[in-house]
Amino acid sequence: MENMLIKKFLNIGAALGAVIVIICIAVSITILARPLYYFDINYLSIPENSGISAEACKLNYDVLIDYNLIGGSDELVFPTLRMSEEGRIHFEEVKNIFIPMQIISIAGVILLLIWIAFFKRKGNNLYYYLWMKYTAVFSVVAALTVCISMAINWEWSFTTMHNILFDNDYWIFNPYTDPVIRILPETFFCHCGLMIVLLVLLQVMIIFFVYRRLKHGRHKF
């Protein structure tokens, strides 16, 4: 009984770690999803509202994304937009969040591949994949909590997230000293949030599908 209890807690711990990886993967894919921003340029009428051409929006956005990727440049320099010292610090802080999330995503996928190889050797044992069930449940709860929060009060959710992630108010940009904020409307970030939630749910569906097949002894996919 004690051994079973330990295995159950190990599965819960693995599930919590998997949830973090799932969120990191969802965020990392969203960062890479440049077409989402390209679509919003016209959908949200960003050039008309910002006074910055669509070409300049894409150019500066691409530089920002490249800066936040593994192997990206060490210094952020917008091609056509000025930037304040506070803005530079904020983007450095953002990068310090995004890069570890990409590393966690890659490490998580590697660990999953190792686990698959391990599982094939161990055979059909509930405690080798029970973590997948817990991961699906925890992830759905997290995704629904975010969705409900966004639906009730998006501005509060947006502000709360920044207050949690940052210990300063540099994320509150002045459009005159940091005109980049003009091409990054809050609605775009809302779309990013929805994409992250959808990507989390997609991963949950895949994990639960695999869990069901493993539970019933169908190891071939």
Side-chain angles (χ1 to χ4, degrees):
M1 178 65 70
E2 182 179 349
N3 189 39
M4 291 175 61
L5 188 61
I6 291 175
K7 288 181 178 179
K8 187 171 183 179
F9 277 114
L10 287 174
N11 272 279
I12 292 175
L16 293 174
V19 171
I20 293 174
V21 172
I22 285 174
I23 294 173
C24 288
I25 290 175
V27 172
S28 298
I29 293 176
T30 301
I31 295 171
L32 291 168
R34 301 177 197 240
L36 174 62
Y37 180 72
Y38 298 164
F39 169 80
D40 271 350
I41 287 176
N42 294 321
Y43 184 74
L44 300 178
S45 302
I46 295 177
E48 291 81 1
N49 295 327
S50 66
I52 299 171
S53 70
E55 292 74 16
C57 288
K58 287 184 179 181
L59 182 62
N60 288 281
Y61 182 78
D62 285 341
V63 168
L64 177 60
I65 294 303
D66 290 340
Y67 172 72
N68 283 286
L69 297 179
I70 294 176
S73 61
D74 294 330
E75 184 179 1
L76 176 61
V77 179
F78 290 117
T80 66
L81 301 174
R82 60 184 177 276
M83 179 172 55
S84 69
E85 179 64 16
E86 290 78 7
R88 183 190 62 77
I89 293 173
H90 174 68
F91 285 123
E92 285 181 354
E93 293 174 336
V94 171
K95 181 173 184 174
N96 289 335
I97 294 173
F98 284 163
I99 295 298
M101 294 184 85
Q102 294 166 48
I103 294 173
I104 291 172
S105 299
I106 295 171
V109 172
I110 293 174
L111 288 174
L112 177 61
L113 294 175
I114 294 173
W115 175 84
I116 290 174
F118 176 80
F119 175 80
K120 286 183 176 180
R121 295 178 57 187
K122 290 297 181 179
N124 187 17
N125 186 316
L126 173 66
Y127 286 104
Y128 289 127
Y129 53 84
L130 187 60
W131 64 271
M132 303 177 85
K133 177 182 178 181
Y134 295 148
T135 298
V137 173
F138 296 160
S139 298
V140 168
V141 170
L144 289 178
T145 300
V146 172
C147 277
I148 293 172
S149 175
M150 290 174 62
I152 293 176
N153 193 327
W154 158 248
E155 289 190 4
W156 177 85
S157 302
F158 186 73
T159 301
T160 300
M161 177 194 69
H162 281 80
N163 287 335
I164 292 173
L165 295 176
F166 307 107
D167 58 1
N168 54 56
D169 62 355
Y170 294 167
W171 60 273
I172 304 177
F173 281 20
N174 183 326
Y176 296 100
T177 58
D178 289 286
V180 66
I181 197 61
R182 298 180 185 176
I183 68 172
L184 298 172
E186 278 195 21
T187 306
F188 165 67
F189 290 110
C190 181
H191 292 169
C192 290
L194 291 175
M195 183 174 183
I196 291 171
V197 170
L198 290 174
L199 287 170
V200 167
L201 293 177
L202 176 60
Q203 292 178 83
V204 168
M205 291 172 61
I206 295 172
I207 288 174
F208 193 70
F209 170 77
V210 174
Y211 166 75
R212 293 281 294 179
R213 291 186 68 85
L214 292 175
K215 182 179 180 181
H216 292 91
R218 298 191 289 271
H219 301 159
K220 294 181 179 180
F221 302 102

